[in-house]
Amino acid sequence: MLKFIGPLIVLVALAPCGVRAGEIDCGALVNHFGPFDYRTTPKERRSLVEDAHFTPQVERLMRGQSTAVIGADINYVLSVFPNHPRALLAMMNLAQKEKLDKPKGSGFTVDCWFDRAVRFRPEDPNVRMLYGIYLLRKGRAKDGIVQLKEAESIQEGGGNANLYYNMGLAYFSAGDYEKSLKYAHQAYGLGFDLPGLRNKLKGVGKWVPPEPVSPAENLPGVAAPARNSEPSTESPADAGDLKR
């Protein structure tokens, strides 16, 4: 299952992800320290970077740690760990907060940070899902769907409610209500607790409750899903009860 360390994809590797003709170069994957795969790096090495540059205040976009500029600290983290999921989320949230494609203190645009993350570890489903979420926030539903579908194809385990919820939102934005409903059922069936997608489908008359599952289909010994705490494409204003 997709897992977040604290808070979701893989682009089809035909060309550098997120880079279009005429865009600036997103830089080579070199750094004086690293880069390292965040998923496999020992905790001690991660702490060397996070304790100095990715404190809770930085992650919450309250203030910088090594500098007064929040984006500079997140920039350092992503230079060392290109696929750091929470740092990617923080950078995209900072861009949204500042209304800038390239946040203050960042060496690259958010698109470039995802380009770099996907080039570095194209098989990381967390990167793919987060990239899909970012693209949906930018109104690029079709591109977002590509990323989310790739995340779905490489996820491990029995499925991820957050991923399915965002896929439902993506297909809703694209006007494919049938697929949106399908993923809504999967997300809510796994315990996702935000009502936004269901309300959107109700608003266009496309919500249909899932068919009840018979007791025979319930597997014994399976724990009830925990309440969702992962990000979605909805903004806090849209989601209302979205938890960060």
Side-chain angles (χ1 to χ4, degrees), residues 83-112:
N83 63 330
H84 191 305
R86 287 164 37 228
L88 285 167
L89 179 63
M91 187 65 86
M92 61 188 264
N93 285 341
L94 182 62
Q96 186 176 37
K97 179 180 179 180
E98 295 182 347
K99 296 181 172 58
L100 296 171
D101 291 331
K102 182 180 176 183
K104 298 173 185 176
S106 173
F108 300 103
T109 63
V110 178
D111 269 297
C112 269

Side-chain angles (χ1 to χ4, degrees), residues 11 17-20 23 101 110-112 131-148 170 173-174:
L11 266 177
C17 306
V19 179
R20 300 175 182 177
E23 285 193 356
D101 291 331
V110 178
D111 269 297
C112 269
Y131 195 13
I133 290 173
Y134 168 73
L135 291 169
L136 293 180
R137 286 186 180 181
K138 298 291 287 184
R140 295 159 58 185
K142 290 183 179 180
D143 292 336
I145 287 171
V146 171
Q147 299 304 318
L148 293 169
S173 296

